[in-house]
């Protein structure tokens, strides 16, 4: 089963391995496969699910809502996000204005077939809307019970600090930030994590296996495996391209195999376990194109990587 961790200094517990459906539901995979992945997550003990209105232009929320239908709502933690446009486009169809936030939460609740989401997240920072307006809209959504908690995604340390202060004045808490984080992408360690610890926010981290790269299946000089994200022309290939094409990086990743072997883990499990060693991380957000990947990766819950092996991981990846 999957361990729970508290989200920030709130009382909300989330599964430290949380299932996310970016690029897969409503896009790369058929709905039957999407449902099978959600079922595999539930079977493994995952109760926290992350999506966003913009994923597959709203279809990801619809597919997740269908897949979770019939589950006991109290036993689930459902997260979604607002920021990017989802419709044909209109003057107010993006950003964190009061109008876009209010329109968006209604759309998300309808597609997810629920009366409330547990966590509503600002998908990015909006430089064009006064932060006071954004935070007031979030405060109202919490008071209306449409979202129980508020988080942000990919905000800088300064943005988090400013949002946190306003939220406190308005009587609620920012409890999480959702950044990219993996053994190949450690930017948050410098400023975001220390600031979040100080203010009582957790990280819910995305792409812990670097979209598949840290599974070791992309070999230097070799074509990408059939059916992988790198071959998904609906969007995945473009998103993962930043990691591919760098044979030196792919060669370094291969050096993690003996370390995974020593721990009796697959490379995917090692990558997920690695992000969970950071005590400011409340959850690793795993994606999956098939149920077997969920069943495999979820076994990273509770794994402790000894300090000497963490150092060897740094050495292998050139982070020391
Ligand atoms: P991962 O790093 O977990 O990558 C998932 C992909 O890697 C899978 O779809 C699969 O792709 C491959 N993979 C995973 N496990 C295995 C395995 N055991 N063996 C082989 N291949 C494997 O995370 P994602 O990039 O999918 O992101 C996860 C979640 O994070 C998203 O669903 C979303 O909720 C969130 N997110 C948030 C963002 C934000 O801005 N806030 C941005 C991006 C994501 P395949 O089989 O197709 O190769």
């Amino acid at each position: 089963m999957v361990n729970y961790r508290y989200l920030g200094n709130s009382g909300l517990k989330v599964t430290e391995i949380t299932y996310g459906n970016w690029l897969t539901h409503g896009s790369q995979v058929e709905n039957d496969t999407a449902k099978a992945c959600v079922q595999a997550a539930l079977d493994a003990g995952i109760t926290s699910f992350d999506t966003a209105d913009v994923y597959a232009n709203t279809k990801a929320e619809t597919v997740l809502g269908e897949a979770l239908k019939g589950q006991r709502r109290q036993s689930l933690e459902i997260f979604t996000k607002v920021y990017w446009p989802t419709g044909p486009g209109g003057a107010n169809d993006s950003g964190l204005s009061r109008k876009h936030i209010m329109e968006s939460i209604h759309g998300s609740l309808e597609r997810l077939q629920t009366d409330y989401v547990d966590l509503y997240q600002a998908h990015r920072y909006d430089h064009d809307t006064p932060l006071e307006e954004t935070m007031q809209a979030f405060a109202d959504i919490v008071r209306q019970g449409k979202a129980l908690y508020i988080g942000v995604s990919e905000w800088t340390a300064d943005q988090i600090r400013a949002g946190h202060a306003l939220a406190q004045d308005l009587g609620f808490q920012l409890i999480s930030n959702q950044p990219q984080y993996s053994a190949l992408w450690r930017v948050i360690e410098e400023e975001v994590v220390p600031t979040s610890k100080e203010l009582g926010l957790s990280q819910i981290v995305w792409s812990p296996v670097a979209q598949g790269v840290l599974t070791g299946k992309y070999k230097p000089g070799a074509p990408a495996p059939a059916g992988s994200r790198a071959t998904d022309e609906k969007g995945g290939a473009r998103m993962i391209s930043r990691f591919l094409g760098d044979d030196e990086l792919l060669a370094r990743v291969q050096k993690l195999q003996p370390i995974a072997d020593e721990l009796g883990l697959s490379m995917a499990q090692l990558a997920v376990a690695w992000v969970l060693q950071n005590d400011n991380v409340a959850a690793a957000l795993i994606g999956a194109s098939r149920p077997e990947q969920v069943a495999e990766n979820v076994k990273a819950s509770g794994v402790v990587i000894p300090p000497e092996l963490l150092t060897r991981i740094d050495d292998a990846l050139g982070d020391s």
Side-chain angles (χ1 to χ4, degrees):
M1 282 315 199
V2 187
N3 294 333
Y4 282 86
R5 294 189 185 191
Y6 282 103
L7 206 46
N9 58 9
S10 79
L12 180 67
K13 290 174 226 156
V14 299
T15 41
E16 66 181 10
I17 297 181
T18 289
Y19 176 84
N21 68 358
W22 176 57
L23 296 175
T24 52
H25 293 192
S27 185
Q28 181 192 4
V29 306
E30 298 299 329
N31 290 357
D32 286 353
T33 306
K35 282 183 188 165
C37 287
V38 169
Q39 193 55 52
L42 292 165
D43 291 346
I46 290 177
T47 59
S48 305
F49 293 85
D50 181 77
T51 185
D53 56 1
V54 72
Y55 293 169
N57 199 21
T58 70
K59 282 193 225 119
E61 283 186 336
T62 303
V63 173
L64 184 63
E66 275 299 310
L68 290 175
K69 212 162 147 179
Q71 298 298 319
R72 183 173 178 266
R73 182 64 185 88
Q74 294 92 319
S75 304
L76 299 174
E77 300 81 43
I78 300 178
F79 318 156
T80 193
K81 315 184 193 83
V82 53
Y83 176 84
W84 275 294
T86 53
N92 288 301
D93 196 16
S94 67
L96 300 177
S97 67
R98 180 175 184 82
K99 176 160 173 73
H100 189 234
I101 289 175
M102 291 299 175
E103 303 276 9
S104 300
I105 186 78
H106 292 143
S108 289
L109 294 179
E110 201 177 311
R111 288 185 292 271
L112 289 164
Q113 304 187 43
T114 181
D115 297 332
Y116 68 93
V117 288
D118 296 276
L119 183 69
Y120 201 43
Q121 302 159 103
H123 211 154
R124 289 293 182 272
Y125 187 84
D126 182 353
H127 293 273
D128 298 325
T129 299
L131 189 56
E132 292 77 2
E133 174 178 334
T134 297
M135 300 314 281
Q136 182 67 60
F138 282 140
D140 292 344
I141 278 180
V142 170
R143 267 187 214 108
Q144 291 164 358
K146 290 173 186 159
L148 305 189
Y149 298 90
I150 300 295
V152 299
S153 172
E154 292 292 2
W155 282 26
T156 65
D158 287 347
Q159 292 163 352
I160 289 171
R161 190 177 291 284
H164 173 267
L166 283 168
Q168 277 207 314
D169 289 348
L170 290 162
F172 72 102
Q173 298 281 331
L174 279 188
I175 63 167
S176 60
N177 177 48
Q178 188 178 128
Q180 180 172 186
Y181 186 54
S182 71
L184 292 179
W185 199 276
R186 302 176 60 167
V187 183
I188 57 167
E189 289 176 3
E190 205 169 313
E191 290 184 1
V192 168
V193 165
T195 300
S196 298
K197 279 188 175 177
E198 177 197 331
L199 302 177
L201 284 81
S202 295
Q203 313 302 316
I204 302 173
V205 303
W206 57 270
S207 296
V209 301
Q211 303 195 43
V213 172
L214 283 167
T215 67
K217 69 181 177 182
Y218 298 106
K219 307 269 191 318
S228 64
R229 184 172 290 184
T231 63
D232 168 26
E233 293 307 329
K234 288 188 188 145
R238 191 165 51 86
M239 292 300 174
I240 198 176
S241 61
R242 72 182 79 144
F243 289 119
L244 302 178
D246 181 348
D247 276 355
E248 204 199 313
L249 178 138
L250 298 181
R252 276 185 267 135
V253 168
Q254 293 299 322
K255 293 189 195 158
L256 300 179
Q257 183 68 65
I259 301 172
D261 290 346
E262 267 183 54
L263 285 163
L265 301 174
S266 70
M267 281 176 68
Q269 290 164 343
L270 179 70
V272 176
W274 186 90
V275 299
L276 292 173
Q277 307 305 298
N278 183 325
D279 63 5
N280 189 233
V281 170
L285 274 177
I286 61 160
S289 67
R290 54 206 76 159
E292 296 76 21
Q293 293 172 350
V294 180
E296 176 184 336
N297 298 3
V298 85
K299 295 198 185 109
S301 180
V303 167
V304 176
I305 306 178
E308 62 273 21
L309 290 187
L310 286 172
T311 305
R312 276 178 52 199
I313 292 170
D314 289 349
D315 291 345
L317 296 176
D319 286 333
S320 56

